[in-house]
Amino acid sequence: MSDINRGRGRPPGPGVDRDARRAVLLDAAERAIAQSGADVSLSQVAAQAGLTRSAVYAAFDDRDAVIDALAARHSGRIVAHMQSLAGGSRDPHSQTRAAVDLLAVWFDEHPALAPILAARWRSDGRSFVETTLTQVLRAGFATRGLDDAPAPVWARAMVGAVAASVEWWAATREISRDELVDHVTSLLWSGLSATNRVDGSLVDGS
């Protein structure tokens, strides 16, 4: 009797944990994008994971589904950090700076991945990141009796400003990251202060 015939009578082995397989593939996709850039293929993702293309397709419908899953993964992590920021300080200026620094670190640590995911976040309207940042800003404004209407505008402006600024900074390194964050925060906060007609003592967080 052949090995094939003997194998047919065996009970099936344990099934693959789909969530675990997806996590492995997303890790592999991050490595592949870091090496090859935005045009990474599913074959490259499979190779990074040590799996076949069919294994990738068993977990994700196509390349867009992989990118969408990566966007959800990273937005979830950033959202969790932003939520902790909301509880760490009740001063809106400090919260704004901390949020700018959080985004700057993320863009700096994921130079190939961040632009792809940031664009994906905005493809269907406001992203989870911008929504959470809006909530953080609204809470900070409310504690100081400020008008919170500009919060969604400033959330989107913060993401855009940080993305553009970090791209320049990563290429030039003319200043430190702390200086970059201070400059971007000052730019955003000065506009926000004017919108809310607050005086200099509030801008300074005092």
Side-chain angles (χ1 to χ4, degrees):
M1 183 180 294
S2 70
D3 290 340
I4 293 176
N5 289 334
R6 282 199 302 270
R8 286 177 180 170
R10 293 175 181 171
V16 174
D17 184 325
R18 189 168 185 270
D19 289 339
R21 173 61 58 83
R22 284 170 63 91
V24 167
L25 289 169
L26 291 180
D27 290 342
E30 291 193 28
R31 295 193 299 271
I33 290 172
Q35 291 181 6
S36 305
D39 295 328
V40 66
S41 68
L42 289 184
S43 294
Q44 290 170 302
V45 173
Q48 279 286 341
L51 298 169
T52 63
R53 276 178 52 118
S54 61
V56 179
Y57 281 114
F60 297 100
D61 290 338
D62 52 29
R63 180 182 175 280
D64 277 345
V66 174
I67 301 301
D68 283 340
L70 283 175
R73 166 189 269 195
H74 281 265
S75 66
R77 292 172 180 173
I78 294 173
V79 163
H81 285 302
M82 284 185 175
Q83 289 171 338
S84 69
L85 292 178
S89 172
R90 297 185 67 81
D91 173 49
H93 181 271
S94 297
Q95 288 180 339
T96 301
R97 190 191 186 285
V100 170
D101 187 55
L102 171 63
L103 291 171
V105 169
W106 183 75
F107 275 95
D108 183 41
E109 291 181 346
H110 303 88
L113 189 63
I116 303 170
L117 300 191
R120 188 58 58 99
W121 288 339
R122 295 191 293 270
S123 64
D124 296 320
R126 189 184 307 134
S127 70
F128 289 129
V129 172
E130 289 174 6
T131 298
T132 302
L133 185 52
T134 297
Q135 294 169 351
V136 171
L137 291 174
R138 284 193 193 280
F141 301 158
T143 62
R144 302 302 289 264
L146 303 179
D147 177 15
D148 68 357
V153 177
W154 286 104
R156 172 154 289 210
M158 286 173 69
V159 173
V162 171
S165 300
V166 172
E167 182 179 5
W168 164 83
W169 173 72
T172 65
R173 302 285 175 167
E174 291 184 5
I175 58 177
S176 69
R177 196 186 82 227
D178 280 344
E179 290 174 306
L180 172 75
V181 171
D182 285 339
H183 288 318
V184 174
T185 302
S186 295
L187 177 64
L188 293 171
W189 192 253
S190 63
L192 181 60
S193 301
T195 300
N196 283 285
R197 298 180 180 178
V198 297
D199 61 23
S201 62
L202 182 55
V203 173
D204 293 336
S206 58

